[in-house]
mmCIF file of all heavy atoms in Angstrom:
data_model
loop_
_atom_site.group_PDB
_atom_site.id
_atom_site.type_symbol
_atom_site.label_atom_id
_atom_site.label_comp_id
_atom_site.label_asym_id
_atom_site.label_seq_id
_atom_site.Cartn_x
_atom_site.Cartn_y
_atom_site.Cartn_z
ATOM 1 N N SER P 9 10.302 5.078 12.486
ATOM 2 C CA SER P 9 10.970 5.758 11.369
ATOM 3 C C SER P 9 10.077 5.802 10.130
ATOM 4 O O SER P 9 9.207 4.951 9.948
ATOM 5 C CB SER P 9 12.269 4.994 11.086
ATOM 6 O OG SER P 9 12.864 5.378 9.877
ATOM 7 N N GLY P 10 10.287 6.809 9.280
ATOM 8 C CA GLY P 10 9.459 6.972 8.076
ATOM 9 C C GLY P 10 8.129 7.604 8.441
ATOM 10 O O GLY P 10 7.973 8.195 9.523
ATOM 11 N N GLY P 11 7.147 7.477 7.566
ATOM 12 C CA GLY P 11 5.829 8.061 7.855
ATOM 13 C C GLY P 11 5.239 7.430 9.108
ATOM 14 O O GLY P 11 5.288 6.213 9.262
ATOM 15 N N TYR P 41 16.131 7.563 12.604
ATOM 16 C CA TYR P 41 17.593 7.386 12.632
ATOM 17 C C TYR P 41 18.312 8.651 13.107
ATOM 18 O O TYR P 41 19.450 8.588 13.556
ATOM 19 C CB TYR P 41 18.103 6.978 11.238
ATOM 20 C CG TYR P 41 17.745 5.545 10.882
ATOM 21 C CD1 TYR P 41 16.734 5.250 9.976
ATOM 22 C CD2 TYR P 41 18.426 4.479 11.465
ATOM 23 C CE1 TYR P 41 16.405 3.938 9.661
ATOM 24 C CE2 TYR P 41 18.099 3.157 11.159
ATOM 25 C CZ TYR P 41 17.084 2.897 10.250
ATOM 26 O OH TYR P 41 16.765 1.584 9.956
ATOM 27 N N ALA P 71 10.718 10.537 11.584
ATOM 28 C CA ALA P 71 11.364 11.457 10.644
ATOM 29 C C ALA P 71 11.983 10.664 9.512
ATOM 30 O O ALA P 71 12.095 9.443 9.574
ATOM 31 C CB ALA P 71 12.455 12.250 11.368
ATOM 32 N N ARG P 72 12.362 11.378 8.481
ATOM 33 C CA ARG P 72 13.217 10.810 7.445
ATOM 34 C C ARG P 72 14.626 11.322 7.784
ATOM 35 O O ARG P 72 14.760 12.363 8.431
ATOM 36 C CB ARG P 72 12.771 11.274 6.065
ATOM 37 C CG ARG P 72 11.225 11.357 5.954
ATOM 38 C CD ARG P 72 10.624 10.546 4.901
ATOM 39 N NE ARG P 72 9.173 10.734 4.874
ATOM 40 C CZ ARG P 72 8.293 9.753 4.830
ATOM 41 N NH1 ARG P 72 8.690 8.501 4.854
ATOM 42 N NH2 ARG P 72 7.007 9.997 4.758
ATOM 43 N N CYS P 73 15.641 10.613 7.376
ATOM 44 C CA CYS P 73 17.008 11.003 7.766
ATOM 45 C C CYS P 73 17.933 10.834 6.570
ATOM 46 O O CYS P 73 18.318 9.717 6.222
ATOM 47 C CB CYS P 73 17.438 10.114 8.946
ATOM 48 S SG CYS P 73 19.160 10.290 9.423
ATOM 49 N N LYS P 74 18.253 11.964 5.946
ATOM 50 C CA LYS P 74 19.064 11.950 4.707
ATOM 51 C C LYS P 74 20.425 11.306 4.913
ATOM 52 O O LYS P 74 20.938 10.601 4.065
ATOM 53 C CB LYS P 74 19.300 13.394 4.231
ATOM 54 C CG LYS P 74 18.092 14.092 3.639
ATOM 55 C CD LYS P 74 18.503 15.338 2.858
ATOM 56 C CE LYS P 74 19.295 16.381 3.644
ATOM 57 N NZ LYS P 74 18.543 17.164 4.623
ATOM 58 N N MET P 76 21.430 8.892 6.452
ATOM 59 C CA MET P 76 21.519 7.433 6.409
ATOM 60 C C MET P 76 21.878 6.917 5.010
ATOM 61 O O MET P 76 22.219 5.753 4.833
ATOM 62 C CB MET P 76 20.196 6.798 6.859
ATOM 63 C CG MET P 76 20.044 6.643 8.348
ATOM 64 S SD MET P 76 21.293 5.581 9.073
ATOM 65 C CE MET P 76 20.721 3.955 8.580
ATOM 66 N N HIS P 77 21.762 7.792 4.009
ATOM 67 C CA HIS P 77 22.100 7.366 2.653
ATOM 68 C C HIS P 77 23.610 7.469 2.399
ATOM 69 O O HIS P 77 24.082 7.206 1.301
ATOM 70 C CB HIS P 77 21.313 8.183 1.621
ATOM 71 C CG HIS P 77 19.828 7.901 1.682
ATOM 72 N ND1 HIS P 77 19.258 6.836 1.029
ATOM 73 C CD2 HIS P 77 18.822 8.521 2.352
ATOM 74 C CE1 HIS P 77 17.952 6.809 1.277
ATOM 75 N NE2 HIS P 77 17.674 7.826 2.085
ATOM 76 N N VAL P 82 25.690 6.283 8.514
ATOM 77 C CA VAL P 82 25.448 4.928 9.020
ATOM 78 C C VAL P 82 26.486 4.602 10.113
ATOM 79 O O VAL P 82 26.153 4.029 11.161
ATOM 80 C CB VAL P 82 25.511 3.893 7.868
ATOM 81 C CG1 VAL P 82 25.240 2.489 8.382
ATOM 82 C CG2 VAL P 82 24.503 4.247 6.779
ATOM 83 N N GLY P 101 8.831 0.652 11.206
ATOM 84 C CA GLY P 101 8.732 1.560 10.060
ATOM 85 C C GLY P 101 8.411 0.828 8.775
ATOM 86 O O GLY P 101 7.997 -0.339 8.794
ATOM 87 N N GLY P 102 8.645 1.507 7.655
ATOM 88 C CA GLY P 102 8.330 0.941 6.343
ATOM 89 C C GLY P 102 9.572 0.427 5.626
ATOM 90 O O GLY P 102 10.643 0.274 6.238
ATOM 91 N N ASP P 103 9.438 0.201 4.327
ATOM 92 C CA ASP P 103 10.536 -0.432 3.584
ATOM 93 C C ASP P 103 11.822 0.389 3.594
ATOM 94 O O ASP P 103 12.920 -0.163 3.699
ATOM 95 C CB ASP P 103 10.095 -0.758 2.143
ATOM 96 C CG ASP P 103 9.673 0.468 1.366
ATOM 97 O OD1 ASP P 103 9.141 1.411 1.990
ATOM 98 O OD2 ASP P 103 9.856 0.498 0.142
ATOM 99 N N GLY P 104 11.696 1.725 3.534
ATOM 100 C CA GLY P 104 12.886 2.571 3.580
ATOM 101 C C GLY P 104 13.623 2.390 4.899
ATOM 102 O O GLY P 104 14.854 2.240 4.931
ATOM 103 N N SER P 105 12.872 2.362 5.966
ATOM 104 C CA SER P 105 13.481 2.187 7.299
ATOM 105 C C SER P 105 14.210 0.849 7.376
ATOM 106 O O SER P 105 15.266 0.743 8.015
ATOM 107 C CB SER P 105 12.396 2.241 8.382
ATOM 108 O OG SER P 105 11.697 3.457 8.286
ATOM 109 N N PHE P 106 13.667 -0.148 6.702
ATOM 110 C CA PHE P 106 14.317 -1.464 6.712
ATOM 111 C C PHE P 106 15.585 -1.451 5.852
ATOM 112 O O PHE P 106 16.555 -2.133 6.146
ATOM 113 C CB PHE P 106 13.351 -2.549 6.215
ATOM 114 C CG PHE P 106 12.220 -2.828 7.183
ATOM 115 C CD1 PHE P 106 11.248 -3.766 6.887
ATOM 116 C CD2 PHE P 106 12.127 -2.157 8.394
ATOM 117 C CE1 PHE P 106 10.204 -4.021 7.779
ATOM 118 C CE2 PHE P 106 11.094 -2.398 9.297
ATOM 119 C CZ PHE P 106 10.120 -3.336 8.981
ATOM 120 N N ARG P 107 15.567 -0.638 4.789
ATOM 121 C CA ARG P 107 16.796 -0.492 3.986
ATOM 122 C C ARG P 107 17.880 0.160 4.844
ATOM 123 O O ARG P 107 19.062 -0.135 4.705
ATOM 124 C CB ARG P 107 16.545 0.344 2.735
ATOM 125 C CG ARG P 107 15.732 -0.416 1.729
ATOM 126 C CD ARG P 107 15.849 0.078 0.308
ATOM 127 N NE ARG P 107 14.984 -0.772 -0.490
ATOM 128 C CZ ARG P 107 13.688 -0.544 -0.701
ATOM 129 N NH1 ARG P 107 13.131 0.552 -0.252
ATOM 130 N NH2 ARG P 107 12.963 -1.398 -1.397
ATOM 131 N N GLY P 108 17.447 1.034 5.731
ATOM 132 C CA GLY P 108 18.390 1.641 6.688
ATOM 133 C C GLY P 108 19.041 0.548 7.541
ATOM 134 O O GLY P 108 20.252 0.569 7.784
ATOM 135 N N ALA P 111 21.603 -1.214 5.532
ATOM 136 C CA ALA P 111 22.819 -0.409 5.406
ATOM 137 C C ALA P 111 23.675 -0.513 6.674
ATOM 138 O O ALA P 111 24.910 -0.453 6.631
ATOM 139 C CB ALA P 111 22.450 1.050 5.137
ATOM 140 N N ALA P 125 5.429 -1.111 9.826
ATOM 141 C CA ALA P 125 4.428 -0.102 10.187
ATOM 142 C C ALA P 125 4.441 0.997 9.138
ATOM 143 O O ALA P 125 5.399 1.770 9.062
ATOM 144 C CB ALA P 125 4.721 0.470 11.573
ATOM 145 N N THR P 126 3.436 1.010 8.302
ATOM 146 C CA THR P 126 3.255 2.069 7.312
ATOM 147 C C THR P 126 1.818 1.981 6.806
ATOM 148 O O THR P 126 1.316 0.868 6.603
ATOM 149 C CB THR P 126 4.239 1.943 6.115
ATOM 150 O OG1 THR P 126 3.769 2.770 5.036
ATOM 151 C CG2 THR P 126 4.380 0.524 5.597
ATOM 152 N N ILE P 127 1.203 3.125 6.589
ATOM 153 C CA ILE P 127 -0.178 3.069 6.100
ATOM 154 C C ILE P 127 -0.248 2.488 4.689
ATOM 155 O O ILE P 127 -1.293 2.030 4.255
ATOM 156 C CB ILE P 127 -0.875 4.459 6.126
ATOM 157 C CG1 ILE P 127 -0.183 5.456 5.196
ATOM 158 C CG2 ILE P 127 -0.991 4.984 7.544
ATOM 159 C CD1 ILE P 127 -1.037 6.690 4.892
ATOM 160 N N ASP P 128 0.893 2.486 3.976
ATOM 161 C CA ASP P 128 0.885 2.071 2.565
ATOM 162 C C ASP P 128 0.693 0.569 2.369
ATOM 163 O O ASP P 128 0.333 0.132 1.274
ATOM 164 C CB ASP P 128 2.199 2.482 1.883
ATOM 165 C CG ASP P 128 2.426 3.973 1.920
ATOM 166 O OD1 ASP P 128 1.454 4.720 2.110
ATOM 167 O OD2 ASP P 128 3.592 4.403 1.772
ATOM 168 N N ASP P 130 2.880 -1.598 1.862
ATOM 169 C CA ASP P 130 3.686 -2.013 0.709
ATOM 170 C C ASP P 130 4.898 -2.860 1.093
ATOM 171 O O ASP P 130 5.933 -2.812 0.436
ATOM 172 C CB ASP P 130 4.115 -0.777 -0.109
ATOM 173 C CG ASP P 130 4.867 0.238 0.737
ATOM 174 O OD1 ASP P 130 4.948 0.081 1.973
ATOM 175 O OD2 ASP P 130 5.383 1.212 0.162
ATOM 176 N N ARG P 172 1.823 6.082 -1.678
ATOM 177 C CA ARG P 172 3.106 6.294 -2.368
ATOM 178 C C ARG P 172 3.059 5.693 -3.770
ATOM 179 O O ARG P 172 2.492 6.305 -4.656
ATOM 180 C CB ARG P 172 4.269 5.723 -1.566
ATOM 181 C CG ARG P 172 5.570 6.411 -1.919
ATOM 182 C CD ARG P 172 6.722 5.855 -1.146
ATOM 183 N NE ARG P 172 6.766 6.295 0.225
ATOM 184 C CZ ARG P 172 7.493 7.329 0.665
ATOM 185 N NH1 ARG P 172 8.228 8.003 -0.183
ATOM 186 N NH2 ARG P 172 7.484 7.673 1.917
ATOM 187 N N ARG P 261 -3.159 9.432 7.872
ATOM 188 C CA ARG P 261 -2.059 8.946 8.719
ATOM 189 C C ARG P 261 -2.342 9.147 10.202
ATOM 190 O O ARG P 261 -1.675 8.567 11.056
ATOM 191 C CB ARG P 261 -0.771 9.670 8.341
ATOM 192 C CG ARG P 261 0.180 8.710 7.718
ATOM 193 C CD ARG P 261 1.390 9.272 7.072
ATOM 194 N NE ARG P 261 2.199 10.242 7.730
ATOM 195 C CZ ARG P 261 3.224 10.837 7.132
ATOM 196 N NH1 ARG P 261 3.537 10.535 5.890
ATOM 197 N NH2 ARG P 261 3.942 11.723 7.755
HETATM 198 N N1 ATP M 1 18.581 2.827 0.956
HETATM 199 C C1 ATP M 1 18.650 3.312 2.203
HETATM 200 N N2 ATP M 1 19.811 3.252 2.891
HETATM 201 C C2 ATP M 1 19.911 3.719 4.149
HETATM 202 N N3 ATP M 1 18.887 4.274 4.819
HETATM 203 C C3 ATP M 1 17.709 4.369 4.212
HETATM 204 C C4 ATP M 1 17.511 3.889 2.874
HETATM 205 N N4 ATP M 1 16.232 4.130 2.515
HETATM 206 C C5 ATP M 1 15.650 4.723 3.579
HETATM 207 N N5 ATP M 1 16.527 4.871 4.597
HETATM 208 C C6 ATP M 1 16.283 5.503 5.900
HETATM 209 O O1 ATP M 1 14.976 5.193 6.372
HETATM 210 C C7 ATP M 1 14.219 6.411 6.518
HETATM 211 C C8 ATP M 1 12.773 6.139 6.272
HETATM 212 O O2 ATP M 1 12.583 5.679 4.937
HETATM 213 P P1 ATP M 1 11.336 6.191 4.067
HETATM 214 O O3 ATP M 1 11.316 7.670 4.095
HETATM 215 O O4 ATP M 1 11.424 5.537 2.747
HETATM 216 O O5 ATP M 1 10.062 5.722 4.888
HETATM 217 P P2 ATP M 1 9.513 4.250 5.143
HETATM 218 O O6 ATP M 1 10.237 3.627 6.276
HETATM 219 O O7 ATP M 1 9.515 3.496 3.848
HETATM 220 O O8 ATP M 1 8.055 4.533 5.639
HETATM 221 P P3 ATP M 1 6.842 5.155 4.778
HETATM 222 O O9 ATP M 1 6.979 4.672 3.378
HETATM 223 O O10 ATP M 1 5.632 4.676 5.440
HETATM 224 O O11 ATP M 1 6.976 6.625 4.893
HETATM 225 C C9 ATP M 1 14.889 7.360 5.547
HETATM 226 O O12 ATP M 1 14.645 8.709 5.861
HETATM 227 C C10 ATP M 1 16.345 7.014 5.736
HETATM 228 O O13 ATP M 1 16.852 7.574 6.915
#
Side-chain angles (χ1 to χ4, degrees):
S9 168
Y41 287 105
R72 322 238 181 228
C73 172
K74 288 196 303 287
M76 275 299 285
H77 293 276
V82 181
D103 60 328
S105 303
F106 290 179
R107 288 201 181 88
T126 164
I127 63 164
D128 300 340
D130 56 353
R172 204 180 284 264
R261 248 170 48 186

